[in-house]
Amino acid sequence: MKLAELGRRAPWAVVLIILLAITLSVLPFALFPDTVTTTQTALATVCSIVLLVFALFGLVHDTYSAWQLVVVLCLLLVAVGIGLVAWRYVEESRSLPVTESVKLSKGAASLETGEKAVIRLRTPAPRDRLRLTFEADDLGYGSPCVPSSSLRVTGGADGRRPEARIGEEISVALDPEKRTVRLEAELVSDPGCELSLRVARAVLDND
């Protein structure tokens, strides 16, 4: 059966298959307009073209009936949509290690009690919370200061000032709408203590 003859016998099938193919090509952008990538859109477009050619070839050569192809394409469209939603959920909920992306101000190399180090981070994706773990080395003489020292972090989205011992995790609330994070870590230690501070671990996640 030629394509022209198919258009006369089952025009609705041709139109519906083309519409389904177009829908598949724009599905990622329609579901996730803020996060869809060029690669994802291109892949969806290629898949829709392949399916369109396959469907029209099957109709022209009477391999499949119009109803069979329409049903299969509808089921495929639903499956792709569910898969994209599941993928989006996994992407938005998984933890993101960002240790290498955290920047400390130069003052962190020599920090005395009461002084603050500035923490900067450009988040790769929206998250509600930043979990930080710091390490430090003693720079002064005398008794070790690290075991008794802690850090108090300010600048979180909730206005709180979480504090934890060095080596323990500090959880800081973030504003998901902002992609730039700026925090301050204040050293709480004994008088005369001087430490060199560094970030051992930084993870972004959701509550």
Side-chain angles (χ1 to χ4, degrees):
M1 179 168 38
K2 301 299 182 182
L3 189 58
E5 181 183 351
L6 175 65
R8 291 192 298 269
R9 292 182 53 183
W12 61 270
V14 176
V15 172
L16 189 54
I17 288 172
I18 292 174
L19 289 177
L20 286 171
I22 294 173
T23 302
L24 179 61
S25 68
V26 301
L27 192 60
F29 183 80
L31 290 176
F32 320 118
D34 298 328
T35 57
V36 67
T37 65
T38 304
T39 301
Q40 292 165 349
T41 303
L43 183 61
T45 302
V46 171
C47 288
S48 67
I49 293 174
V50 171
L51 289 173
L52 178 60
V53 173
F54 169 78
L56 294 178
F57 180 85
L59 288 176
V60 169
H61 293 275
D62 286 329
T63 306
Y64 311 101
S65 69
W67 278 114
Q68 286 176 323
L69 283 173
V70 169
V71 170
V72 169
L73 288 176
C74 285
L75 291 176
L76 181 61
L77 191 64
V78 171
V80 171
I82 294 174
L84 286 173
V85 172
W87 170 81
R88 173 72 177 267
Y89 174 79
V90 171
E91 283 295 307
E92 290 188 346
S93 59
R94 71 184 182 93
S95 298
L96 299 175
V98 290
T99 306
E100 300 300 325
S101 301
V102 176
K103 306 299 182 183
L104 285 177
S105 59
K106 292 182 179 179
S110 178
L111 204 63
E112 296 183 2
T113 183
E115 293 182 337
K116 298 178 180 179
V118 177
I119 304 162
R120 290 185 174 88
L121 171 66
R122 176 74 178 174
T123 60
R127 290 294 186 272
D128 297 331
R129 193 158 295 277
L130 174 62
R131 305 188 186 278
L132 292 165
T133 304
F134 292 92
E135 291 179 346
D137 296 317
D138 279 295
L139 296 180
Y141 299 97
S143 300
C145 293
V146 173
S148 60
S149 299
S150 61
L151 292 169
R152 183 183 297 124
V153 178
T154 57
D158 57 1
R160 306 178 80 175
R161 304 171 65 192
E163 183 176 338
R165 292 287 183 90
I166 293 176
E168 296 178 353
E169 185 180 84
I170 302 176
S171 180
V172 184
L174 301 179
D175 183 351
E177 300 299 323
K178 296 181 179 180
R179 302 297 294 274
T180 301
V181 178
R182 185 187 185 280
L183 307 170
E184 291 184 344
E186 178 185 353
L187 178 62
V188 180
S189 189
D190 298 327
C193 285
E194 184 180 1
L195 302 178
S196 176
L197 188 67
R198 60 185 178 276
V199 177
R201 184 171 181 266
V203 177
L204 290 166
D205 63 18
N206 290 323
D207 290 328

